[in-house]
């Protein structure tokens, strides 16, 4: 009657909202949730977290940690006494997962900006170590290429607001000529809006900004953020439901891919 959750930093908005949902839906099914949070050195400490949960008699665990498919498969192989469901892996990997389509929302973002007349795009992606950040970046690039465009510059942040703040200042130094900026998540977009405001750059007058996640706060940014909505509550709900249904038999472990949708607010025009 206890589920485990191993999560990346809860200082980040998306994982904290997923954790809240996992706890709520597990509790509603009369399960407790033990949370282990990992920060650095993902591969090493992930196994430690799993061991910690096993020692507390947990036999089903949700893993919200960015993992390459091969690393996730290795975790599964080395832990046959605990059932693992992954939230931050390539949706098409072989492991049991509930994840988001990494291409639909990104494609819609580029298309929307293109149709608004934008041709000069800058990209501020999430960390290079993150599978999801790279899949989002790849999809932006592929979509731009389908319009025969290349970004004027590309940079990476580490998901937090400070890195968005620094990142956009770097982009402006490298290639000031862009009218559209795609950002890997909402927290970095918050830093971007702050830096642009301080520089007197009008959003969306001079630069349109699109975030990613649609975390709860993004509707309250100034201007309200256009972003890609991930239903993080639904991800938590599906993860709990699928994990509780799953038995030792592989057939019952069905993965699912949730849609990501563009939500247009005031930071684009
Ligand atoms: C991903 C978020 O989009 C990003 O903002 C950041 O919080 C990251 O998680 C932390 O790992 S969502 C994930 C399920 C791909």
């Amino acid at each position: 009657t206890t589920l485990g959750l191993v999560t990346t930093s809860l200082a980040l908005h998306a994982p904290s909202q997923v954790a809240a949902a996992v706890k709520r839906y597990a509790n509603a099914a009369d399960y407790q949730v033990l949370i282990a949070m990992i920060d650095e050195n993902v591969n090493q400490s992930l196994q430690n977290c799993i061991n910690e949960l096993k020692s507390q008699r947990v036999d089903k665990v949700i893993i919200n940690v960015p993992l390459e498919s091969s690393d996730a498969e290795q975790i599964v192989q080395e832990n046959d006494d605990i059932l693992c469901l992954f939230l931050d892996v390539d949706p098409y990997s072989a492991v049991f997962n509930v994840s988001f389509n990494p291409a639909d929302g990104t494609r819609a973002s580029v298309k929307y900006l293109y149709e608004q007349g934008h041709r000069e795009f800058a990209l501020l992606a999430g960390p290079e170590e993150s599978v999801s950040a790279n899949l989002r970046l790849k999809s932006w690039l592929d979509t731009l290429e389908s319009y025969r465009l290349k970004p004027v510059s590309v940079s990476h942040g580490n998901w937090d607001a400070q890195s968005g703040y620094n990142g956009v200042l770097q982009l402006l130094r490298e290639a000031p000529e862009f009218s559209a900026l795609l950002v890997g998540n909402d927290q970095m977009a918050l830093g971007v809006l702050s830096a642009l405001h301080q520089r007197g750059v009008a959003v969306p007058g001079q630069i349109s900004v699109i975030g990613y996640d649609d975390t709860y706060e993004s509707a309250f940014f100034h201007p309200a953020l256009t972003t890609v909505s991930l239903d993080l509550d639904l991800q938590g709900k599906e993860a709990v439901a699928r994990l509780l249904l799953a038995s030792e038999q592989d057939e019952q472990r069905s993965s699912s891919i949730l849609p990501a949708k563009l939500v247009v607010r005031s930071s684009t025009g």
Side-chain angles (χ1 to χ4, degrees):
T1 53
T2 304
L3 285 185
L5 171 66
V6 183
T7 178
T8 196
S9 172
L10 292 174
L12 295 172
H13 297 179
S16 73
Q17 288 177 24
V18 172
V22 165
K23 184 167 158 42
R24 185 150 26 83
Y25 291 107
N27 289 167
D30 280 330
Y31 276 76
Q32 301 300 310
V33 181
L34 274 179
I35 299 182
M37 186 174 115
I38 69 177
D39 266 322
E40 283 130 60
N41 210 341
V42 167
N43 277 340
Q44 151 111 58
S45 60
L46 175 54
Q47 188 58 56
N48 292 344
C49 289
I50 293 174
N51 294 345
E52 203 181 289
L53 293 170
K54 282 184 192 169
S55 73
Q56 314 220 45
R57 300 172 159 275
V58 171
D59 61 2
K60 292 185 173 187
V61 63
I62 294 170
I63 300 180
N64 192 14
V65 173
L67 291 170
E68 295 291 339
S69 303
S70 55
D71 293 331
E73 279 163 28
Q74 191 183 343
I75 288 287
V76 171
Q77 266 161 28
E78 290 172 0
N79 295 278
D80 57 4
D81 49 346
I82 189 164
L83 180 57
C84 301
L85 183 153
F86 298 86
L87 301 186
D88 195 354
V89 291
D90 184 328
Y92 300 103
S93 80
V95 296
F96 186 23
N97 74 85
V98 173
S99 40
F100 292 98
N101 183 324
D104 51 359
T106 39
R107 230 183 274 129
S109 304
V110 175
K111 182 167 185 280
Y112 173 74
L113 290 168
Y114 185 89
E115 284 168 358
Q116 297 288 110
H118 294 278
R119 297 295 180 268
E120 269 93 40
F121 289 74
L123 310 179
L124 179 51
E128 270 158 305
E129 314 80 68
S130 161
V131 186
S132 319
N134 291 329
L135 291 172
R136 291 171 198 173
L137 174 59
K138 182 177 183 303
S139 173
W140 288 332
L141 291 168
D142 290 348
T143 314
L144 285 172
E145 205 186 302
S146 74
Y147 292 115
R148 305 191 180 285
L149 294 175
K150 275 192 170 46
V152 298
S153 63
V154 180
S155 182
H156 289 266
N158 71 359
W159 293 134
D160 75 7
Q162 178 78 59
S163 73
Y165 184 98
N166 298 343
V168 73
L169 295 181
Q170 190 193 327
L171 288 170
L172 287 171
R173 277 195 302 273
E174 282 172 2
E177 300 303 317
F178 58 88
S179 68
L181 175 58
L182 293 159
V183 187
N185 78 343
D186 291 353
Q187 274 180 279
M188 293 198 299
L190 178 60
V192 164
L193 294 181
S194 168
L196 292 178
H197 179 73
Q198 280 178 19
R199 287 293 157 101
V201 178
V203 177
Q206 290 165 276
I207 298 183
S208 284
V209 177
I210 299 189
Y212 202 101
D213 284 347
D214 193 23
T215 44
Y216 171 72
E217 297 80 3
S218 66
F220 301 93
F221 293 0
H222 190 70
L225 191 67
T226 295
T227 186
V228 172
S229 174
L230 304 183
D231 190 338
L232 301 168
D233 187 81
L234 179 63
Q235 189 188 33
K237 182 182 184 179
E238 283 287 308
V240 169
R242 282 168 195 265
L243 194 57
L244 293 185
L245 258 183
S247 64
E248 300 316 309
Q249 279 97 52
D250 277 5
E251 311 84 71
Q252 250 131 344
R253 297 177 198 170
S254 67
S255 295
S256 100
I257 303 178
L258 308 174
K261 295 193 194 97
L262 180 67
V263 179
V264 177
R265 296 202 183 98
S266 312
S267 62
T268 44

